[in-house]
Amino acid sequence: MKLAALQSASLVRRLVILAAGWSLTVLLISAVVLSLLFQQAALRRFDEGLAELIDNLLAGTTVDATGQVLAPALTDLRALRAYSGRYWQVVEPLPDGQWRIIVRSRSLWDAELAAPEDLVARVEAAPGQPVTYETNGPLSQPLRARASRATLPGREAPLIFMAAEDRSPIDRDVRGFITATALAFLLLGAGLVGAVVFQVRFGLRPLFALRREVAAVRRGKAERIAGAYPVELEPLAEELNALVSHNQEVVERQRTHVGNLAHALKTPLSVMLTEARQTPGPLSEVVERQAEVMRLQVDHHLRRARAAARTPGRGERTDVAEVLDELARTLVRIFQDKGVDIDWDCDEDLVFQGERQDLLEIAGNAMENAAQWCQGRVRVRATAQTPERLRLTIDDDGPGLPPERRPEVLRRGARLDESAPGSGLGLSIIDELARAYGGDLHLDAAKLGGLSVIIDLPRAET
């Protein structure tokens, strides 16, 4: 599941996670290894000190004429100070695996060095080899101890020489080293992650540039991808250019086929209309009415074909204010007997990314519909929603439309009033043209009391 999520993540995230994860893992392993090596080196030096102390014990311990073991004359001050943390003792192993203390350092005072129960057996099993173990001192401090078996001149029975030292200082040194190493590697890890992010972002910069060029082609700001790219991306840029050219050719061919078919139908329809009008009668009225509907359908599909061929990405730009001004003047003259007042407003430098004829079709149908059903007022507002979207809002003070009937009037051929003339294609044409441009249309209640037609369309950058 996690692997699938990583594969679906962005390329930058995948590269950063993989590179940073590998780097941090290597750093963590390195920090652990260094800490262990430091600890081993410190313990090795520590054990060398204990071995030296045992050697001094062996060299300084003597046996008198009666066989009594005499303590060595050591000058180590720590071994002379009570509970100083540095201790030694010489013991005689007993047959039952126990031992008897012969001599011990003054630092032990009245205590003795604790040792594992099997120490005698371990020492005797490896003659001449020291045995190292951990124990606790008289004050419960942690000790690291060493024991070695040896035989002194003048004495047949072997002795065990034991030396121990408080390991707290070395433990503090190890902890300090681990803390310093952790902080150093933490800073190094943060620097490596930052370097990985920079490297990935810098390395993928040509890919980001290619994405921007493709977006520019889609928005109509460029015809082709023209940037210079690394050898790995150059074939992709060429293929994208070939795809854009192929799509344009396909759209043009389809548009031409639809146009040819529509124009081929227009001539017979015109003949039928002419003949029906010249020959009055019930049949001619039916033929004329149906032929007119067919002609409107042909015009409708021609407009759809033109809109499909001129969707965003072809470079058309239309000033919205000029179109609204032209439509308002025309509709005021058309509905002058009704006294329609069309109030329009448009954001400055608002540009529609599409053909002028299509914006005239979209806004004209909506404004004409509002003028037809209003009581006398129509208000049009064109505003910028985002850098890539604009919104046309056409309100009227007419009777409005109940919410349950709003989806109905967007269907092709549906009309608000079946007794009124028309084909019922007005709002359907607006909806289909808006969708062809990647836009949207929806209906709402207007603040003026009537219907509000809201159309979202692509916006061109100024």
Side-chain angles (χ1 to χ4, degrees):
M1 193 71 180
K2 293 182 179 179
L3 181 59
L6 180 60
Q7 291 177 344
S8 62
S10 70
L11 188 59
V12 172
R13 184 178 301 174
R14 290 172 62 183
L15 291 175
V16 168
I17 290 176
L18 291 175
W22 171 251
S23 300
L24 293 177
T25 300
V26 171
L27 284 178
L28 179 60
I29 294 174
S30 301
V32 172
V33 170
L34 283 176
S35 299
L36 291 176
L37 290 176
F38 179 84
Q39 184 181 35
Q40 291 177 0
L43 289 176
R44 188 165 52 250
R45 290 194 303 270
F46 195 87
D47 291 342
E48 290 173 356
L50 293 177
E52 182 180 357
L53 178 57
I54 289 179
D55 290 340
N56 292 333
L57 287 174
L58 279 171
T61 304
T62 59
V63 179
D64 61 11
T66 63
Q68 184 178 1
V69 179
L70 301 178
L74 298 180
T75 58
D76 189 344
L77 296 179
R78 291 184 60 191
L80 300 176
R81 189 172 67 250
Y83 307 136
S84 63
R86 189 174 178 88
Y87 312 104
W88 61 264
Q89 67 185 16
V90 180
V91 301
E92 179 184 8
L94 301 176
D96 59 356
Q98 301 296 314
W99 63 79
R100 178 174 61 86
I101 297 178
I102 303 299
V103 291
R104 56 187 165 187
S105 64
R106 291 184 60 185
S107 56
L108 280 173
W109 200 248
D110 57 350
E112 65 178 76
L113 281 178
E117 294 182 356
D118 60 344
L119 177 64
V120 173
R122 290 168 59 185
V123 170
E124 292 181 348
Q129 297 296 325
V131 174
T132 305
Y133 59 94
E134 305 291 335
T135 185
N136 291 322
L139 300 180
S140 298
Q141 68 267 47
L143 300 180
R144 185 172 179 85
R146 221 176 215 211
S148 182
R149 180 176 177 270
T151 302
L152 296 178
R155 180 183 173 88
E156 294 182 0
L159 297 175
I160 297 177
F161 295 83
M162 303 167 62
E165 189 170 349
D166 186 1
R167 61 171 294 168
S168 298
I170 193 173
D171 290 338
R172 284 195 299 270
D173 291 343
V174 171
R175 287 195 297 270
F177 179 82
I178 292 176
T179 302
T181 303
L183 291 176
F185 275 77
L186 184 62
L187 293 176
L188 182 58
L192 279 176
V193 171
V196 166
V197 172
F198 174 78
Q199 180 181 357
V200 170
R201 298 289 300 185
F202 183 80
L204 294 181
R205 183 177 296 178
L207 192 60
F208 300 146
L210 179 61
R211 181 187 66 180
R212 289 192 293 270
E213 280 214 70
V214 172
V217 172
R218 179 180 60 83
R219 292 195 295 265
K221 297 182 64 179
E223 292 289 335
R224 294 174 57 81
I225 298 171
Y229 294 99
V231 292
E232 293 84 0
L233 292 181
E234 189 65 33
L236 177 60
E238 294 175 356
E239 290 295 329
L240 288 173
N241 281 330
L243 179 62
V244 171
S245 299
H246 175 71
N247 287 342
Q248 291 177 353
E249 292 174 2
V250 170
V251 170
E252 289 295 338
R253 284 200 301 268
Q254 296 301 323
R255 181 187 177 198
T256 300
H257 292 330
V258 174
N260 291 339
L261 178 61
H263 286 297
L265 291 174
K266 274 191 171 183
T267 299
L269 288 174
S270 298
V271 172
M272 292 172 63
L273 283 171
T274 301
E275 291 296 327
R277 289 167 181 165
Q278 292 178 355
T279 308
L283 179 60
S284 63
E285 290 178 1
V286 174
V287 171
E288 180 180 359
R289 185 166 60 253
Q290 295 303 316
E292 180 66 25
V293 171
M294 293 172 66
R295 184 182 65 81
L296 290 173
Q297 292 287 349
V298 168
D299 290 339
H300 165 66
H301 286 287
L302 273 177
R303 284 190 292 267
R304 289 190 63 186
R306 185 178 67 249
R310 296 182 178 276
T311 51
R314 298 294 301 275
E316 295 89 351
R317 298 164 60 87
T318 302
D319 185 274
V320 178
E322 291 182 2
V323 171
L324 294 183
D325 182 62
E326 178 183 338
L327 289 173
R329 292 176 184 273
T330 302
L331 291 174
V332 166
R333 288 196 297 269
I334 293 175
F335 292 95
Q336 60 182 349
D337 293 340
K338 188 177 180 179
V340 174
D341 175 34
I342 299 180
D343 172 30
W344 68 272
D345 183 47
C346 178
D347 287 353
E348 186 178 359
D349 298 330
L350 193 61
V351 179
F352 166 63
Q353 188 173 323
E355 190 184 13
R356 177 183 175 86
Q357 181 62 34
D358 291 331
L359 184 59
L360 283 170
E361 191 82 26
I362 294 171
N365 272 287
M367 293 172 66
E368 183 179 2
N369 182 76
Q372 180 179 353
W373 291 96
C374 73
Q375 298 294 328
R377 292 183 60 196
V378 175
R379 185 170 63 193
V380 182
R381 295 290 180 268
T383 57
Q385 295 297 108
T386 68
E388 297 182 352
R389 305 284 284 184
L390 64 87
R391 172 168 291 180
L392 284 176
T393 306
I394 299 96
D395 298 339
D396 64 70
D397 63 348
L401 190 65
E404 62 272 11
R405 292 203 61 195
R406 291 169 189 167
E408 176 187 342
V409 299
L410 295 179
R411 295 199 302 269
R412 184 162 53 90
R415 289 184 286 165
L416 298 178
D417 187 353
E418 295 293 338
S419 64
S423 62
L425 293 174
L427 291 177
S428 174
I429 289 173
I430 299 172
D431 186 43
E432 291 181 352
L433 284 174
R435 291 181 184 276
Y437 277 98
D440 189 22
L441 177 145
H442 64 277
L443 306 177
D444 202 349
K447 293 182 179 180
L448 295 179
L451 182 66
S452 178
V453 179
I454 303 169
I455 310 166
D456 291 329
L457 295 170
R459 175 190 176 193
E461 296 183 4
T462 56

